[in-house]
Amino acid sequence: MRELATGVRHWQAPHPDRTPDDRWPREVSSYTVDDGTRLLLIDPLSVPPGLLARAADRQPVVVLTAPRHERDTRNPVERLGAPVFTPPPDTADDLVRKFGVTREQAGDGSLDLAWLRTGTGGAGRLYAAGDRLPVGVEAFAGREHNDLVLWDGRVRAVIPGDTLVDFGQGLQINDWLRGGVTRAQVAERLRPLLALPVEIALPAHGAPADRAALERALSL
């Protein structure tokens, strides 16, 4: 784990569901933003024990950039009582549209965060593009309706989930797009971010990057 800026920490851990044949690297990134009152756990996986201990003096909150990033979310929810802010999981219609499965195969929709949605696993709060979350971050449209990009002006950080990734060639728009969406369209959605005083970008896949890397990624 390393500190990127005051209150901002980054660590990586191997995703348990990844295999050597996957197109995405197994190591994924997680972050915290500590404002002295709240401790935001962003797309958390294998949260270091020191951070969990720090949460005793903070209000822990889990923030997911996409519902499939639940990763280890259940751990801080059950241990710390942390609420979870997340975009909505895919409905059956979403699965049919995105993956070309049949209505029967789609069933009742995605199983992401099913334990949370039953009401037995903690407090789940849905958000969408354009929302300003009460924990200090703003949501922007990303590559999909529930794969969003966050802005935290307190630490001048863009948190792009899976929309911007670094698989070894620098920060760039994820080329895994569905529903006829193009990289140019994603870049257009994200250009308003360049009007903000961005200093760091915190992707879920790859290493943190700076403003110059963000500008290059959106210069289509």
Side-chain angles (χ1 to χ4, degrees):
M1 182 174 64
R2 63 186 178 118
E3 187 168 27
L4 305 175
T6 302
V8 182
R9 292 176 173 82
H10 165 243
W11 73 97
Q12 290 186 309
H15 197 291
D17 296 332
R18 293 281 187 264
T19 69
D21 296 329
D22 283 336
R23 64 197 301 271
W24 292 11
R26 190 178 183 194
E27 294 286 324
V28 297
S29 288
S30 302
Y31 304 90
T32 60
V33 175
D34 183 349
D35 66 6
T37 300
R38 296 188 184 93
L39 181 70
L40 271 59
L41 301 167
I42 301 169
D43 293 337
L45 175 63
S46 300
V47 180
L51 286 178
L52 291 175
R54 180 183 293 269
D57 298 322
R58 302 288 191 271
Q59 297 172 15
V61 179
V62 175
V63 180
L64 304 181
T65 55
R68 65 183 165 277
H69 283 177
E70 63 175 289
R71 299 177 175 178
D72 278 347
T73 292
R74 196 162 187 168
N75 184 23
V77 167
E78 293 180 346
R79 290 184 58 178
L80 306 172
V84 180
F85 288 84
T86 178
D90 285 327
T91 64
D93 286 341
D94 292 330
L95 295 178
V96 171
R97 176 175 52 84
K98 289 181 179 183
F99 301 105
V101 298
T102 66
R103 174 67 59 175
E104 182 179 11
Q105 290 170 324
D108 294 326
S110 171
L111 296 179
D112 292 331
L113 295 168
W115 57 273
L116 187 67
R117 288 182 278 158
T118 63
T120 60
R125 305 177 188 180
L126 300 181
Y127 72 89
D131 289 348
R132 185 179 296 274
L133 279 61
V135 295
V137 298
E138 184 178 352
F140 286 77
R143 68 185 187 124
E144 295 179 353
H145 79 285
N146 58 358
D147 191 339
L148 303 180
V149 175
L150 303 178
W151 162 247
D152 191 329
R154 298 165 302 176
V155 292
R156 300 189 173 190
V158 167
I159 306 162
D162 287 347
T163 298
L164 298 175
V165 296
D166 181 356
F167 292 155
Q169 298 180 341
L171 194 69
Q172 58 187 306
I173 295 172
N174 195 336
D175 62 4
W176 188 20
L177 301 172
R178 294 182 284 247
V181 175
T182 67
R183 295 178 73 248
Q185 289 172 327
V186 174
E188 189 64 25
R189 295 174 188 173
L190 298 184
R191 285 202 179 95
L193 294 171
L194 299 180
L196 301 172
V198 178
E199 293 184 1
I200 52 176
L202 310 176
H205 297 274
D210 58 15
R211 181 185 178 90
L214 176 65
E215 292 175 347
R216 287 192 296 270
L218 301 184
S219 62
L220 295 180

